[in-house]
Amino acid sequence: IQKQYDAVGAELAKLDLALSELDTLKKTAIVTTAIVKDTVFSHYIEIQGSVDTKQNLIIYPEFSGVLSQVFVKSGQNVTKGQTLARIDDGGLGNQLAQMETQAALAKTTFERQKNLWDQKIGSEIQFLQAKTNYDAQLKSVAQMKAQVSKTVVKAPFTGVIDEVIIERGQVVAPGQPLMRIVNLSDMYVTANVPESFIGKIKNGAIVEVQIKSIGKTYEGKVRQIGNYINPNNRNFSIEIAVPNKDNLLRPNQVAVLKIEDYRKPNAILVPESIVTENALGEKIIFVVNTEGKEPKAVKKTIEVGLTSGANIEVKSGLKKGEVIIIDGARSVQNGDLVEILKK
């Protein structure tokens, strides 16, 4: 029975060969192709950050007393050094006036004693006592002026009064917030980056900053890279300067950062969808061989790199100018005849 089975199989094989030679309608796979070209390839990492500004400050009083005057309101633009509020000095102004009067008298006494001493009249001890008394009065006046100056609240920088927290007539003390001042001209984004990217992010690198809450995308630059790895999350911090030309950025907005960490000027890219993997874990792609009478699909093993969008970088196994199969790449086998569909 086995011999009969083998004989029938041999006869069927001869019939199949004869039929294939007579068959004019050969089965071919219809595919679309593309010519491999080299191009500039950039890879980006995406991380989440937070918008902030160095000039976002809550102003606290340096003196205890009644808030006697408030010269600004929320939303008002102010300049650096402008007086924002005044605290009742509790009589320090009168004390300062008395000290200035005493200092003026000490000055007159010192000048007269000096004139006498220059003329060799009087004793040296009288001259030194007058000089010492005058110097002491000047120091007392300077100290009292420093105390009185703390009753005047001034703007530390040019900006906008975002909020007035305490109103006129309330008692204030150091450590109690008075108002918030914000300047939105120097905005930046902070983010934490995994330590595996150390060396890949450089100062001055261009960063795409997406603020999804307002539907805006900005171009920023890395201006600071942290030198410390946080042991809790194995991240380091970066700071990206972002222009705020349209004045829509606000502190604490959520930002999505796209940072370029790899760039190759003559990379070969192919659609990731046409790359398959065999049982050995090898990456496979099909190209078209047109050397014979009819084009055929030829399997090639490639080495891939990073992905960007729908494309993947081919590091080796594919050359510029080769024709790759796009549509139909997953349905052909090595050596299959193909018919190229022209778009």
Side-chain angles (χ1 to χ4, degrees), residues 93-111 129-142 144:
N94 294 331
Q95 294 181 36
L96 176 60
Q98 292 177 3
M99 288 183 175
E100 288 177 337
T101 301
Q102 293 173 359
L105 177 60
K107 179 182 179 182
T108 301
T109 302
F110 167 67
E111 289 176 347
Q129 286 176 342
K131 184 178 184 302
T132 301
N133 183 46
Y134 177 49
D135 291 341
Q137 290 295 334
L138 288 178
K139 290 181 180 179
S140 297
V141 169
M144 185 56 66

Side-chain angles (χ1 to χ4, degrees), residues 144-156:
M144 185 56 66
K145 283 184 176 180
Q147 287 293 319
V148 172
S149 67
K150 293 180 179 180
T151 65
V152 180
V153 180
K154 294 186 177 183

Side-chain angles (χ1 to χ4, degrees), residues 113 117 120-131:
Q113 195 65 43
W117 178 247
K120 306 299 181 181
I121 301 174
S123 64
E124 183 180 6
I125 191 65
Q126 290 175 322
F127 167 73
L128 293 175
Q129 286 176 342
K131 184 178 184 302

Side-chain angles (χ1 to χ4, degrees), residues 152-323:
V152 180
V153 180
K154 294 186 177 183
F157 51 79
T158 299
V160 178
I161 301 299
D162 192 59
E163 180 185 9
V164 177
I165 302 171
I166 293 182
E167 299 297 335
R168 175 183 174 183
Q170 293 182 262
V171 178
V172 297
Q176 185 177 6
L178 290 180
M179 56 190 71
R180 179 186 292 275
I181 181 173
V182 179
N183 188 327
L184 301 179
S185 62
D186 183 20
M187 305 298 290
Y188 65 94
V189 176
T190 57
N192 292 321
V193 182
E195 64 176 325
S196 58
F197 290 99
I198 291 178
K200 295 181 180 179
I201 300 176
K202 307 292 185 181
N203 272 324
I206 301 299
V207 180
E208 184 180 291
V209 181
Q210 298 177 353
I211 311 295
K212 294 185 178 180
S213 61
I214 59 175
K216 291 280 188 178
T217 299
Y218 300 86
E219 186 180 276
K221 285 186 178 181
V222 176
R223 70 181 185 187
Q224 182 177 339
I225 300 175
N227 297 311
Y228 170 75
I229 302 294
N230 189 326
N232 297 322
N233 55 18
R234 310 307 306 172
N235 290 343
F236 64 95
S237 63
I238 61 171
E239 191 173 291
I240 297 96
V242 183
N244 192 19
K245 297 178 181 179
D246 46 12
N247 203 37
L248 293 177
L249 295 179
R250 296 291 186 275
N252 301 316
Q253 281 177 316
V254 176
V256 177
L257 308 179
K258 290 183 65 177
I259 307 174
E260 183 182 280
D261 68 329
Y262 175 78
R263 184 180 180 88
K264 189 173 181 181
N266 55 350
I268 292 177
L269 302 179
V270 298
E272 189 176 11
S273 60
I274 70 172
V275 180
T276 58
E277 186 174 335
N278 61 18
L280 299 176
E282 297 172 326
K283 302 296 182 182
I284 303 299
I285 197 171
F286 285 93
V287 300
V288 176
N289 185 350
T290 57
E291 293 179 358
K293 294 181 180 180
E294 296 177 313
K296 292 182 179 181
V298 178
K299 180 177 70 174
K300 300 200 78 172
T301 302
I302 61 173
E303 180 187 357
V304 298
L306 299 171
T307 60
S308 178
N311 295 324
I312 188 168
E313 179 192 13
V314 177
K315 288 187 166 183
S316 63
L318 195 64
K319 296 184 295 184
K320 177 183 176 182
E322 290 189 276
V323 179

